[in-house]
């Protein structure tokens, strides 16, 4: 069963603390993504990873960094979290198959920064 | 870069009604258009897609129409059920960059009243 997992599912942090969000997939997909979802804004792309150690900024990378040391895992790091980083974060993975780019999403992590 | 817009932003219908969700994009380099559904508190799930060399695609109660000339798509859902209540996202696959990425609309919230 194809699966994208995220940990933790819920997180409360204080402003200035570091945050680590983890994502895993069992489909050997090359490409992985981190998005944040805010009401009325849809999904905003933070980072794309095309494979191990091959990462590119998305539309809103400021305040975030990523790490991909294994194809199955993709981490999102917030160094010194800010209150405006309160959001729901989704990880996704995809494989380019005959020109299609169907993305499989994780269940999301709800982050509250106080 | 690519901009994807969806209208309306929300819809409330009675069970059994048909609905139409409109989506427009700006970049003629976009070639693939997957749609996703997000039920309350859940992950995004792929529901239907269309490529730029097609005009119409149907999957059970979903029909997706594509007009390349006007850069417009519309998702038609017939015989709606309460289980169709969700946010629907249109997206466009941008082949403009070397490896491409998906651009998402802001979503259409559909509420189906029993």
């Amino acid at each position: 069963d194809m699966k994208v997992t995220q940990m933790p599912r819920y997180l409360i942090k204080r402003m200035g603390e570091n945050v680590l969000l983890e994502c895993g997939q069992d489909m050997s997909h090359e490409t992985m993504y981190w998005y944040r979802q805010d009401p009325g804004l849809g999904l905003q792309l933070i980072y794309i990873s095309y494979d191990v150690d091959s990462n590119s900024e998305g539309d809103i990378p400021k305040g975030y960094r990523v790490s991909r040391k294994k194809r199955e895992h993709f981490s999102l790091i917030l160094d010194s979290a800010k209150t405006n980083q309160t959001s729901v974060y989704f990880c996704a993975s995809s494989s380019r198959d005959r020109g299609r780019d169907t993305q499989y999403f994780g269940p999301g992590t709800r982050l509250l920064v106080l | 870069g690519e901009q994807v817009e969806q209208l309306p932003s929300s819809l409330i219908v009675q069970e059994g009604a048909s609905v139409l969700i409109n989506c427009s994009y700006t970049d003629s380099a976009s070639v693939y258009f997957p749609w996703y559904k997000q039920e309350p508190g859940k992950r995004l799930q792929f529901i239907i897609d269309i490529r730029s060399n097609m005009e119409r695609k149907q999957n059970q109660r979903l029909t997706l129409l594509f007009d390349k000339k006007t850069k417009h798509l519309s998702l038609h859902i017939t015989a709606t059920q309460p289980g169709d209540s969700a946010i629907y996202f249109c997206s466009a696959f941008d082949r403009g960059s070397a490896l491409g990425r998906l651009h998402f609309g802001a979503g259409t919230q559909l509420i189906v009243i029993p």
Side-chain angles (χ1 to χ4, degrees):
Chain A
D1 194 22
M2 297 183 287
K3 213 174 185 183
V4 179
T5 57
Q6 289 185 238
M7 290 290 285
R9 295 292 315 280
Y10 303 91
L11 190 59
I12 300 174
K13 287 285 193 178
R14 295 198 180 278
M15 195 168 60
E17 291 184 329
N18 297 333
V19 176
L20 174 64
L21 305 185
E22 310 248 39
C23 175
Q25 50 101 357
D26 61 1
M27 298 168 276
S28 295
H29 285 167
E30 314 87 25
T31 312
M32 296 186 75
Y33 311 78
W34 276 107
Y35 295 93
R36 64 178 279 176
Q37 184 180 32
D38 300 291
L41 293 179
L43 286 162
Q44 297 176 275
L45 180 66
I46 306 171
Y47 268 95
I48 302 178
S49 174
Y50 295 111
D51 213 325
V52 171
D53 284 330
S54 179
N55 307 318
S56 288
E57 295 181 345
D59 298 322
I60 52 162
K62 191 177 176 185
Y64 303 94
R65 61 184 174 92
V66 292
S67 175
R68 189 151 177 221
K69 297 301 180 187
K70 290 184 180 180
R71 183 173 272 195
E72 307 80 42
H73 293 118
F74 190 32
S75 301
L76 181 69
I77 301 120
L78 288 65
D79 294 314
S80 187
K82 299 169 183 52
T83 55
N84 63 8
Q85 291 178 308
T86 291
S87 188
V88 182
Y89 291 86
F90 285 97
C91 173
S93 72
S94 70
S95 181
R96 292 285 142 72
D97 175 25
R98 287 166 288 184
R100 296 179 62 180
D101 184 42
T102 303
Q103 293 189 15
Y104 296 86
F105 284 82
T109 295
R110 287 187 178 272
L111 173 64
L112 174 62
V113 182
L114 301 173
Chain B
E2 175 69 282
Q3 309 252 356
V4 178
E5 289 194 11
Q6 278 182 248
L7 288 171
S9 58
S10 63
L11 275 174
I12 303 176
V13 299
Q14 208 74 38
E15 182 176 1
S18 295
V19 298
L20 194 68
I21 300 172
N22 294 294
C23 174
S24 62
Y25 65 100
T26 57
D27 191 347
S28 54
S30 291
V31 294
Y32 171 61
F33 305 90
W35 287 66
Y36 293 82
K37 172 185 178 182
Q38 185 184 30
E39 295 174 27
K42 300 282 180 68
R43 71 184 75 199
L44 277 77
Q45 289 187 300
F46 167 82
I47 52 173
I48 193 168
D49 61 2
I50 196 162
R51 299 180 71 161
S52 58
N53 59 355
M54 301 169 66
E55 293 180 349
R56 183 179 192 273
K57 189 169 186 180
Q58 185 167 359
N59 181 4
Q60 298 182 323
R61 294 183 295 110
L62 304 178
T63 302
L64 186 52
L65 301 177
F66 175 68
D67 187 330
K68 191 172 182 176
K69 210 176 274 186
T70 61
K71 298 193 187 72
H72 184 262
L73 298 96
S74 53
L75 178 67
H76 189 218
I77 309 174
T78 57
T80 53
Q81 304 163 358
D84 294 330
S85 296
I87 303 175
Y88 290 80
F89 291 97
C90 169
S91 67
F93 176 59
D94 170 15
R95 208 167 54 178
S97 61
L99 288 171
R101 53 160 288 183
L102 279 179
H103 299 264
F104 284 87
T108 296
Q109 171 132 41
L110 171 64
I111 298 172
V112 180
I113 300 169

